[in-house]
Amino acid sequence: MNFVENFRLNDRNNTASVDGGSLQEDSSVLDTPNSQQGVVPNFTVLPPDTPYNPRASVTISTESSEWSKFKEAVAYDCYTRDAFPDDLTIERNSHRAVFRIRGYDESRYLPGVSGETVARYSSILNNRRSNLHSAVNTWLKGYDFHDVSSGRTRDELYLFLMESRRILRENYEEDGRLLCNSAITKCIEYTLLNRKGTGSRLKPAPSVLSKETISLIVCQMLYRLGRLTGHIMCSKEKKGDEFSDESSWKELYKDLVSGSVYGEIIDWPSITAYLTSKLADRNRRALTDTRSMLFG
């Protein structure tokens, strides 16, 4: 049984949900000082029958002024829409990314895209996914886990957090509710929103965390924790295949997003509301602290 299968098996009786009503969208909930920087993608859903211009084939050049906007659009897709898209989705999202930058062409068609642009979309997405789990690793090594770290060496702490996926469970308890640990929001804040860093990976900041964002961070927390503890699921992967389209982490990500992990139903509306509210509370406290420092 591999690590992903073991994850599903152990969690089949721990339904991931929280009590309480739904969270109303508030454009300021996850606002950060970096949320207005860079491109603000147009997320209008393109109807499936919207025609493309058959005579146009747009290539986004790496030397053009559009390149940085294209990269930000791809990164946003990776973090909020689909971190492991299939070929058809990659092509469709490439059209969407170019549409965000250029809009309709003169014939009111969606701009067609070249094979080179589609390949660049895929390459950027893979790089963003890898760079993100490197940031997750930095967070894991630097976070104090003060609730459970007392009396444990760092290596002992990592093993404890990996046991029964405590790092994802409420109060780090073996049978705690899955995906109800504030460590998830703290990791998202550090890796994607990064108020104290040079810039946010996720901009503009979403009003509500998506299940895709949470699933990606959760998978990467487990992946990096597995590497720190020498778990066989991580150590047996070939160099270059870590957290790639060829790894089992893609399968786990898809299972989580679908709302079912080996028969367990994840109540995503409840989970996204809970984690978004936790992150919003942290941001409000940070804003209050900043105002106190500035104005007394």
Side-chain angles (χ1 to χ4, degrees):
M1 179 183 298
N2 65 31
F3 180 51
V4 174
E5 291 169 343
N6 191 36
F7 176 89
R8 299 177 186 142
L9 181 61
N10 287 347
D11 292 328
R12 69 165 64 184
N13 296 318
N14 292 282
T15 301
S17 63
V18 295
D19 297 327
S22 62
L23 183 72
Q24 297 299 316
E25 288 205 13
D26 177 355
S27 61
S28 66
V29 166
L30 298 184
D31 193 27
T32 72
N34 296 304
S35 64
Q36 300 305 317
Q37 298 175 7
V39 63
V40 180
N42 181 343
F43 291 115
T44 303
V45 177
L46 306 180
D49 58 349
T50 303
Y52 300 113
N53 190 336
R55 293 183 296 277
S57 184
V58 174
T59 297
I60 302 295
S61 170
T62 58
E63 306 297 326
S64 72
S65 60
E66 297 173 326
W67 180 242
S68 62
K69 295 179 181 180
F70 183 71
K71 289 193 296 182
E72 288 190 11
V74 178
Y76 211 95
D77 282 348
C78 177
Y79 303 144
T80 67
R81 287 178 174 272
D82 194 344
F84 291 97
D86 58 27
D87 291 344
L88 184 61
T89 303
I90 289 173
E91 183 175 0
R92 181 67 177 171
N93 287 350
S94 298
H95 284 281
R96 182 185 289 113
V98 173
F99 174 71
R100 292 175 199 164
I101 299 169
R102 296 195 175 187
Y104 291 102
D105 67 13
E106 63 279 1
S107 303
R108 300 298 296 169
Y109 283 103
L110 294 178
V113 297
S114 66
E116 186 175 2
T117 295
V118 173
R120 286 175 176 171
Y121 180 101
S122 181
S123 177
I124 293 168
L125 186 141
N126 291 338
N127 288 336
R128 291 294 181 270
R129 199 171 56 214
S130 296
N131 289 341
L132 181 60
H133 73 65
S134 294
V136 169
N137 187 54
T138 301
W139 175 81
L140 279 171
K141 290 181 175 180
Y143 187 62
D144 58 14
F145 294 99
H146 55 86
D147 294 334
V148 292
S149 60
S150 179
R152 293 185 172 94
T153 67
R154 202 66 188 178
D155 287 343
E156 289 171 344
L157 174 63
Y158 294 147
L159 287 170
F160 172 81
L161 294 171
M162 181 62 112
E163 177 189 341
S164 300
R165 272 59 62 191
R166 290 177 185 269
I167 194 172
L168 306 179
R169 296 190 178 281
E170 188 175 28
N171 298 323
Y172 300 97
E173 295 175 354
E174 186 175 0
D175 58 351
R177 288 176 294 181
L178 186 66
L179 306 185
C180 290
N181 193 312
S182 61
I184 299 171
T185 58
K186 291 171 184 176
C187 186
I188 289 173
E189 184 178 42
Y190 179 88
T191 59
L192 290 176
L193 300 178
N194 197 15
R195 274 204 319 266
K196 298 179 181 179
T198 57
S200 170
R201 282 183 171 86
L202 190 54
K203 51 188 179 183
S207 58
V208 176
L209 292 172
S210 71
K211 61 183 180 180
E212 290 83 4
T213 298
I214 296 167
S215 296
L216 178 59
I217 289 294
V218 162
C219 286
Q220 295 201 340
M221 289 169 71
L222 290 174
Y223 167 64
R224 279 296 185 170
L225 195 56
R227 290 187 63 175
L228 288 171
T229 56
H231 197 286
I232 188 172
M233 180 60 192
C234 298
S235 61
K236 73 178 183 179
E237 289 182 336
K238 296 179 181 178
K239 185 174 179 58
D241 285 346
E242 304 95 335
F243 215 82
S244 71
D245 282 320
E246 305 303 320
S247 72
S248 296
W249 300 98
K250 173 182 178 179
E251 185 180 353
L252 178 57
Y253 170 83
K254 294 293 187 181
D255 285 350
L256 285 166
V257 169
S258 73
S260 177
V261 181
Y262 202 78
E264 176 188 354
I265 303 301
I266 299 174
D267 180 7
W268 272 120
S270 179
I271 293 296
T272 55
Y274 174 76
L275 293 178
T276 299
S277 66
K278 286 292 184 183
L279 188 53
D281 287 344
R282 285 176 56 79
N283 285 343
R284 291 189 186 103
R285 287 196 298 271
L287 182 59
T288 299
D289 292 344
T290 300
R291 286 172 175 165
S292 297
M293 290 173 60
L294 293 173
F295 305 111

